[in-house]
Structure formats: structure tokens, C-alpha cells
Amino acid sequence: MIHETVKVGKNVVLGEGAVIEENVAIGDNVTIGHHAIIKKDTQIGSGVMIGDLTVLGKGTSSNKKMARQPKKAGGPLVIEDGAVIGSNVVIYRDVCLGKGVFVGDMASIRENVTVGEESIIGRSAMVENNTKIGCRVTVQTGCYITADMEIEDEVFIGPCCSTSNDKYMGMGNYQYKGPTIKRGAKIGNNATLLPSVVIGEHAVIGAGAVITRDIPAGKTAYGNPGRVMK
Amino acid sequence: MIHETVKVGKNVVLGEGAVIEENVAIGDNVTIGHHAIIKKDTQIGSGVMIGDLTVLGKGTSSNKKMARQPKKAGGPLVIEDGAVIGSNVVIYRDVCLGKGVFVGDMASIRENVTVGEESIIGRSAMVENNTKIGCRVTVQTGCYITADMEIEDEVFIGPCCSTSNDKYMGMGNYQYKGPTIKRGAKIGNNATLLPSVVIGEHAVIGAGAVITRDIPAGKTAYGNPGRVMK
Amino acid sequence: MIHETVKVGKNVVLGEGAVIEENVAIGDNVTIGHHAIIKKDTQIGSGVMIGDLTVLGKGTSSNKKMARQPKKAGGPLVIEDGAVIGSNVVIYRDVCLGKGVFVGDMASIRENVTVGEESIIGRSAMVENNTKIGCRVTVQTGCYITADMEIEDEVFIGPCCSTSNDKYMGMGNYQYKGPTIKRGAKIGNNATLLPSVVIGEHAVIGAGAVITRDIPAGKTAYGNPGRVMK
């Protein structure tokens, strides 16, 4: 079903059973998978590929227990030219994916997030709200990128890394702050980053490390708790 | 497609291509997403919201290799009033979600599980069978909640925590037992809990800790192996 | 929608809105879920069960940033007799699933992978490309099985284990090599295996261990970094 207000470019291939809601704009040479769901207001650039069974432009939701109620996501989801989105993906409103971004199957990106040009969000990776991801960043399969986090350009985050932003775990009466990962840093697989730590430029974090303090630029840290290698 | 035996309340909004199988009961003011699949016998209370591409009321399945064959799930899936279910979720038969429960996108809950009022099951969290989750519990994004586990009221489990119930790893000739997490305990992100450990009331487990023994009420433990802080 | 070139056996049950593309072959007594998508050339044996909202036979895709561009997956996806595939699963072309294999909900398997008879790929597990998994292997829920990895027969991998194949993290100018897990080895939950480590036959890795070196056959290792128990 395509709503009558939808704008569709040239050479658009639409899968079986795809649902395109009102005010969606689709550029030229776009491919949309079977049973994909493009929710209202979503803007899709030219040459974008969207997999099967993917939801684009989801609104926020919540229940009473949530320490911090999500703001109603105002702006639309914007997907720039040449982005590639996998199958069974869920991306919220108020997200901007830059040119040539890749989002793997089963990944999910919450509201108020930007992902810079050519970055990769791996399969099954989860990105929370209010987070900024730079250009040419790799977020590998299964990573958890918390809310209120900043990832600078050319960072590499290995598979299954976990981050957090909530020092007092669910109390909800203070400022949340995720880690900051500076330009070119590399994080090994299944590493754990605590709230508000800063990983310096080109620092390297070992696989399985638990990082409880800031790591200076250019240094390598590993272990539990993570220590800087001399 | 809606089967003729389905009961539908007032003000129900049904997405494009939603499939509603036989003997489903749907309360008033329910929203069901596009291409959602509500399998037979599922009971949905009033004011429930169900996302796109979600499967509710799945039956069990298995292969020959499984150490423990799952029982055929007898009872239906019951979703109480005001629950909010995300997109691309899979929930089995013989589950009860209490009033106001929130289940994030891509989460999955197996058979013979109860989730108490207002609890949160985060995005991409996996809950195994035969597990009891109390009221006002937070299970954050990407957590793995094993089978045969008990989580009491007001517990907070940070993102990507992992639990297990199988001390001898796949031998299958003994009793499985997951961890018990007592009321108000807090578990840091990416922590690992071994089979049958007991985390006491209001205990705190550090991020990335590996917990191999019981932790007394009110204590804090961290490290690998996890030790209680003096 | 079923393409006219599709071959369908006897007693095939096809869900609502299932999409079957060209040149698919389906054996006898196969069940295919609602809104499942069987992409071109996929070969499905007899007695196979496929869940709802599952994508079978996906082609590869990429963006400019990827250190190693995936090869175009040549061969079709082949699913042998009696395999059971969950809901919301994504499996690529050029994969062979042996007889009686079980793939849990939300799992995903990339191209150029074989899975031996009766093995289990747990819910939400991710298997990368160019990896070989033996017979009667258990890969538990939420595991990350990297590319270029070999898992021999009767291995047990606990929930949420993480592996990697990329020693220099994204540089892309060298040979990738994942771990090798020899016959009958057991890996505890949330363990981390570094690139190219060899876990010997019937070795046991503790939960939460970080394995940076080869572990001899029959030995037990745990901790961070992982050490062999005397």
C-alpha cells in the first residue's frame, strides 16, 4: 500500500507487500524490500537500498516505569544518498543517516541520532537515543551503543562491545552520560565501557577489557579493571 | 486476514497485512502494527500497543540435539491492559505480561514466563523459558535472561548482561538452575552470572563482573572473578 | 506471491503473505510461516519448518568503508531435510544447513557457511561469513561467531560468547583468522575469544573468560586474561 501523498522517484523497485505511509519522499533508483514498512514523513535519498521486513521512521514509545520518558521524536528519519539498510532493521524518527552509511540486518537505531558518511552499523547492533556517531566509523555486529554517547570519526568498535550511561542504575534523578570515544580509537570485542569514560584519540582497548577510567590518547588498555599498558 | 472466531473490541486499529489467527481476543483501544502476526488463542487486553512485524503466541519447536526438549506450551499468551510491545518482537505461548509492561523492539520471550506489572524488557533482550520476572523490573537492551531463573521486584539489570543455567554445559542429565536476583538488586552492564548464584537484596554488581558465588544482600561486587568490596 | 518457476512438493503449508521468488524448490511436508520471504534459487528439503517473517537466501551487500568487500555469494541457500528455522531469521545465499539443524528466532547466518547435521544455532546468534560449523554443535542464544572460524563436531558454546578475527581492528591489509574450536570443547557464557586462538579438544573455557592464547586439549581455563587451571 502506498499512500497518495508519497513522492516516488524514477526506477524505484518496491517489494511485495511494502507499506509506504503518508508524506514519505523516495529518491531515484531506490530499492525497497518485501514487507518493508516506511512510516510517515521518512525521506529517502537516491540510490538507497532497503532490505525486507524493515521498519523505517518508527515513533517513540514508553511505559510508566521508565526513569526518563523519551521525548516525542519531532523530525523525520532522513536517509541520504547511497545508504544501504539490511533486513529486519528498526530505525526511529529524528535520525539522520549520512551518505553511503551501511546498517546491517536486525540493527536498530533510536531517535535523535546522527550517523556520519560511510559509517557502518553492524548486524544486530543497537544504538540508543541522543547519540552522535561520526564519519567512517565501524560499529561491529552486536555492539550496544548507549544513549548520550559520542563517537568521533574513524573509530572502530569490535563485535559485542557494551557501553553504559547510567552510573546509579535506574535512579533517574541525575544527568546521564555515555562514553566519549575520540577519533581513530579502537575497541576490542566484548569490551565494557562504563558511564562517561573518555577513550582518547587512537587509543586501543583490548578485547574483554572493562574500562572504568579515562584512557589517554594513543595508549593501550586491557584487563578487568582495565589498566594502561606501560 | 482476520479469522472468523476472533473477538475484537472497540476502536481497534489494525495495520496493513496483519494476520490474526483463530480464537484471538482483542480488547478496546488496541493498536496492532503492519504485518504483525497474532497467533491462535492469544488474549490481548485493552489499550495495548503492538508494533510492526511482531509475532505473538508462537508455539515451541526443537530438534533432536536439544538436551532438554521443550514441553508443548499449553496456555495462551496473555497480555494485560496497557502493555506496549515493540516491532520485530517474538513472544511465545504460555506467557503472561502484566499491566503496563514494555517490551522493546526485537526482544523475544519464550514459553512459561511471567513478567510483572510495569516491568521493562529492553530491545533485543532474550528471555528463556520457565523464568519469573517480578514487577517494576528493568531488563536493559541486549540482556540474556536464561531459563529457570527468578528476578524479584524492582531489580535493575544493565545492558548486555549474560546469565546461565547449565553448569555442565549441554550434558543434559541433571537439574538446570539459573541465577536468583533478589528484590532491588542492580547488575552492571555486560556482567556475567553463573548458574544458580543468588544476588542478595539491594546488592550491586559492577559492570563487566563475573559472578561465580552468591553475593550477600546490600553488598557490592566487581571484577573477574567477582569479589565483594570491603 | 509465488513465482511461476517455483517447484512445490506435497503437503506444503504456506503462510499468509509469504513471498516465494523465482527458481525456489520446496520439498514435501514443508511449513512456511506468514510473511516469510524465500528469495530466488533457495532449495528447501522435505519436512522443513520455517517461521514467520523470516528471510531465506539474501544476497550480500556492502558500503565503501568495508575493509574487505564481501564476494558476491554464488551458490544458493540449501536447507536439508528436517531443519527447523525460527521467526524473524535472516539467512544468506551460499549457506548449507544440514539435516535436522535448528536455527532460533532472530538468528542470522551470512554467506559461505556450512552448519552440520543436528546442530543448533540459538536465538539471536549471529554467524559471519566463511565459517564452518560441525555436526551436533550447540551455539547458544546471542553468540557471536565471527568470520573465518572453524567449530568442530559436538562443541558447546554458551550464551553471549564473543569471538573475533581481526587482530588489527579494521586495517584490512592482512589475513583475517577467527578462532578454531576443536571437537567437544565447551565455552562458558559471555566468554571472549581473540583472533586465531585454538581451543583444544574437550577443553573447557569458564564463563566470562578472555582467551588470548591457545588452550591445550582437555584443559580448563578462566579469568581475564584466561589462564589454564593447574
Side-chain angles (χ1 to χ4, degrees):
Chain A
M1 181 213 70
I2 301 192
H3 196 273
E4 59 190 18
T5 55
V6 171
K7 287 177 193 152
V8 181
K10 295 174 199 158
N11 298 318
V12 169
V13 177
L14 201 66
E16 278 290 306
V19 177
I20 318 287
E21 293 187 352
E22 61 263 40
N23 295 318
V24 167
I26 301 174
D28 298 336
N29 305 307
V30 168
T31 303
I32 295 178
H34 302 306
H35 300 321
I37 296 169
I38 318 295
K39 298 184 92 85
K40 64 179 179 182
D41 306 331
T42 299
Q43 297 174 26
I44 299 174
S46 292
V48 169
M49 295 177 63
I50 296 164
D52 305 310
L53 299 164
T54 277
V55 179
L56 299 181
K58 186 181 172 179
T60 55
S61 55
S62 63
N63 79 345
K64 278 203 287 187
K65 172 71 177 90
M66 289 187 183
R68 183 170 58 164
Q69 294 291 320
K71 284 183 218 157
K72 193 153 182 172
L77 166 60
V78 176
I79 301 176
E80 296 189 349
D81 296 352
V84 176
I85 316 287
S87 297
N88 297 62
V89 166
V90 179
I91 305 180
Y92 281 64
R93 286 178 69 91
D94 204 10
V95 167
C96 181
L97 303 182
K99 288 183 184 166
V101 160
F102 183 93
V103 179
D105 309 317
M106 289 129 160
S108 176
I109 302 175
R110 286 272 308 268
E111 72 278 9
N112 195 18
V113 166
T114 57
V115 181
E117 289 185 19
E118 292 177 34
S119 286
I120 296 168
I121 306 297
R123 284 192 301 155
S124 202
M126 297 280 123
V127 179
E128 297 286 8
N129 48 318
N130 310 327
T131 279
K132 189 172 183 306
I133 298 176
C135 298
R136 297 170 301 281
V137 166
T138 300
V139 172
Q140 274 273 14
T141 303
C143 281
Y144 175 67
I145 303 300
T146 191
D148 313 291
M149 180 159 171
E150 187 167 356
I151 300 173
E152 294 189 355
D153 296 347
E154 282 128 32
V155 161
F156 179 94
I157 306 183
C160 314
C161 284
S162 170
T163 58
S164 62
N165 71 336
D166 183 358
K167 199 169 172 182
Y168 302 101
M169 300 197 215
M171 304 303 293
N173 51 356
Y174 47 88
Q175 184 76 33
Y176 292 85
K177 180 90 182 108
T180 299
I181 307 181
K182 297 281 194 184
R183 178 187 289 262
K186 294 173 187 291
I187 317 289
N189 65 305
N190 213 13
T192 303
L193 306 186
L194 272 76
S196 80
V197 297
V198 177
I199 309 299
E201 288 197 12
H202 299 287
V204 175
I205 305 300
V210 177
I211 302 299
T212 60
R213 302 181 185 188
D214 295 353
I215 303 299
K219 297 292 184 184
T220 295
Y222 60 90
N224 180 358
R227 295 190 198 283
V228 173
M229 202 167 81
K230 310 278 177 182
Chain B
M1 182 213 69
I2 300 191
H3 196 272
E4 59 191 18
T5 56
V6 172
K7 289 176 192 151
V8 181
K10 296 174 198 158
N11 297 319
V12 169
V13 177
L14 201 68
E16 279 288 307
V19 177
I20 318 287
E21 293 187 352
E22 60 263 39
N23 295 317
V24 167
I26 301 174
D28 297 336
N29 304 309
V30 167
T31 303
I32 295 178
H34 302 306
H35 301 319
I37 296 168
I38 317 296
K39 299 184 92 86
K40 64 179 179 181
D41 307 329
T42 299
Q43 297 174 26
I44 300 174
S46 291
V48 169
M49 295 176 64
I50 296 164
D52 306 310
L53 300 165
T54 276
V55 179
L56 299 181
K58 185 179 173 180
T60 54
S61 54
S62 63
N63 80 345
K64 278 203 286 186
K65 171 72 178 88
M66 289 186 182
R68 184 170 58 164
Q69 293 291 320
K71 284 183 218 158
K72 193 153 182 172
L77 166 61
V78 176
I79 301 176
E80 296 188 349
D81 295 353
V84 176
I85 317 286
S87 298
N88 298 62
V89 166
V90 179
I91 305 180
Y92 282 65
R93 286 177 70 91
D94 204 10
V95 167
C96 181
L97 304 182
K99 287 183 184 166
V101 160
F102 183 93
V103 179
D105 310 317
M106 288 126 160
S108 176
I109 303 176
R110 286 271 308 266
E111 71 278 8
N112 195 18
V113 167
T114 57
V115 182
E117 289 185 19
E118 292 178 33
S119 287
I120 297 168
I121 306 296
R123 285 191 300 155
S124 202
M126 298 280 122
V127 179
E128 296 286 9
N129 47 318
N130 310 327
T131 279
K132 189 171 184 306
I133 298 176
C135 298
R136 298 170 299 282
V137 166
T138 300
V139 172
Q140 274 273 15
T141 303
C143 280
Y144 175 68
I145 303 300
T146 190
D148 313 291
M149 180 159 171
E150 186 166 357
I151 301 173
E152 294 188 356
D153 296 347
E154 281 128 32
V155 161
F156 179 95
I157 306 183
C160 314
C161 283
S162 170
T163 58
S164 61
N165 70 337
D166 184 359
K167 200 170 171 181
Y168 302 102
M169 300 196 213
M171 303 303 292
N173 50 356
Y174 47 89
Q175 184 75 32
Y176 293 85
K177 181 89 182 109
T180 299
I181 307 182
K182 297 282 194 183
R183 179 186 288 262
K186 294 173 186 291
I187 316 289
N189 65 305
N190 213 13
T192 303
L193 305 185
L194 272 77
S196 79
V197 298
V198 177
I199 309 298
E201 288 197 12
H202 299 288
V204 175
I205 305 300
V210 177
I211 302 300
T212 60
R213 301 180 186 190
D214 295 353
I215 303 299
K219 296 293 185 183
T220 295
Y222 59 90
N224 180 357
R227 297 189 197 284
V228 172
M229 203 166 81
K230 311 277 177 185
Chain C
M1 180 213 72
I2 300 191
H3 196 272
E4 59 191 18
T5 56
V6 171
K7 288 175 194 153
V8 181
K10 295 174 198 158
N11 297 319
V12 169
V13 178
L14 201 67
E16 278 290 306
V19 177
I20 318 287
E21 293 187 351
E22 61 263 39
N23 296 316
V24 167
I26 302 174
D28 297 337
N29 304 308
V30 168
T31 303
I32 296 177
H34 301 307
H35 300 321
I37 296 168
I38 318 296
K39 299 184 92 85
K40 65 179 180 182
D41 307 330
T42 299
Q43 297 174 24
I44 300 174
S46 292
V48 169
M49 295 177 63
I50 296 163
D52 305 310
L53 300 164
T54 277
V55 179
L56 298 181
K58 186 181 172 179
T60 55
S61 54
S62 63
N63 79 345
K64 277 203 287 187
K65 172 71 178 88
M66 289 186 182
R68 183 169 58 163
Q69 293 292 321
K71 283 183 218 156
K72 193 153 183 172
L77 166 60
V78 177
I79 301 176
E80 295 188 350
D81 294 353
V84 176
I85 317 287
S87 297
N88 297 62
V89 166
V90 179
I91 305 180
Y92 282 64
R93 288 177 68 91
D94 204 11
V95 167
C96 181
L97 304 182
K99 287 183 184 165
V101 161
F102 183 93
V103 179
D105 309 318
M106 288 126 160
S108 176
I109 303 176
R110 286 270 309 266
E111 72 279 8
N112 195 18
V113 167
T114 57
V115 181
E117 288 185 19
E118 292 177 35
S119 287
I120 297 168
I121 306 297
R123 283 191 303 155
S124 202
M126 297 281 123
V127 179
E128 296 286 8
N129 47 318
N130 311 325
T131 278
K132 188 171 184 308
I133 298 176
C135 298
R136 297 170 300 283
V137 166
T138 300
V139 172
Q140 275 272 13
T141 303
C143 280
Y144 176 68
I145 304 300
T146 191
D148 313 291
M149 180 159 170
E150 187 167 355
I151 301 174
E152 293 188 356
D153 295 348
E154 282 128 32
V155 161
F156 179 95
I157 306 183
C160 314
C161 284
S162 170
T163 59
S164 62
N165 71 337
D166 184 358
K167 200 169 171 181
Y168 302 102
M169 301 196 214
M171 303 304 293
N173 50 356
Y174 46 90
Q175 183 76 30
Y176 292 84
K177 181 89 183 109
T180 299
I181 307 182
K182 297 281 193 184
R183 178 187 288 260
K186 294 173 186 292
I187 317 289
N189 66 305
N190 213 13
T192 303
L193 305 185
L194 272 76
S196 79
V197 297
V198 177
I199 309 299
E201 287 197 13
H202 298 287
V204 175
I205 305 300
V210 177
I211 302 300
T212 60
R213 301 181 187 190
D214 295 353
I215 303 298
K219 296 293 184 183
T220 295
Y222 60 91
N224 180 357
R227 297 189 197 283
V228 173
M229 203 167 82
K230 311 275 176 185

